[in-house]
Amino acid sequence: MKPSTTLKWVTGGMEAFLAIPVLGGLTVMGFGYSPLGLMLILHIITLVFSAKEGQKFHGSIWGIVASCLGWVPFVGWALHTITAIILMIDAFASGRKEKGMQV
């Protein structure tokens, strides 16, 4: 499995966790909004790996936006949800493509 695919699964899962309405918000606020900074760094790393490997990277762009605007209550929830879905779909499609399956 390519590093970009693994990173998409990891960041997609983390975004899905942050998209849980109360739990995600309390986690972000409880750690002083540092999870958003961590996610920003991870999305940038995923973007770089995806670009180097010729993979889709729009999920990482959404993740960067979600990390920057995640502190806004309902906007953050929506962005984390959209980002998680896009990253999971990208990771699934990339994994199938690597195995030579029809996507």
Side-chain angles (χ1 to χ4, degrees), residues 1-90:
M1 187 180 303
K2 292 183 179 181
S4 64
T5 304
T6 303
L7 285 166
K8 287 177 188 178
W9 280 117
V10 170
T11 54
M14 293 172 77
E15 286 290 344
F17 176 78
L18 292 177
I20 299 171
V22 175
L23 187 59
L26 288 175
T27 301
V28 168
M29 291 187 297
F31 283 100
Y33 296 92
S34 61
L36 296 178
L38 172 67
M39 290 306 295
L40 177 65
I41 292 166
L42 287 175
H43 286 303
I44 292 169
I45 292 169
T46 305
L47 175 78
V48 170
F49 274 94
S50 296
K52 285 176 91 173
E53 295 172 4
Q55 301 291 322
K56 294 181 182 178
F57 53 83
H58 57 279
S60 297
I61 300 292
W62 275 92
I64 291 168
V65 172
S67 297
C68 292
L69 298 176
W71 58 273
V72 181
F74 295 104
V75 173
W77 169 80
L79 288 172
H80 288 306
T81 302
I82 292 166
T83 302
I85 292 168
I86 292 171
L87 284 167
M88 297 282 194
I89 290 171
D90 276 355

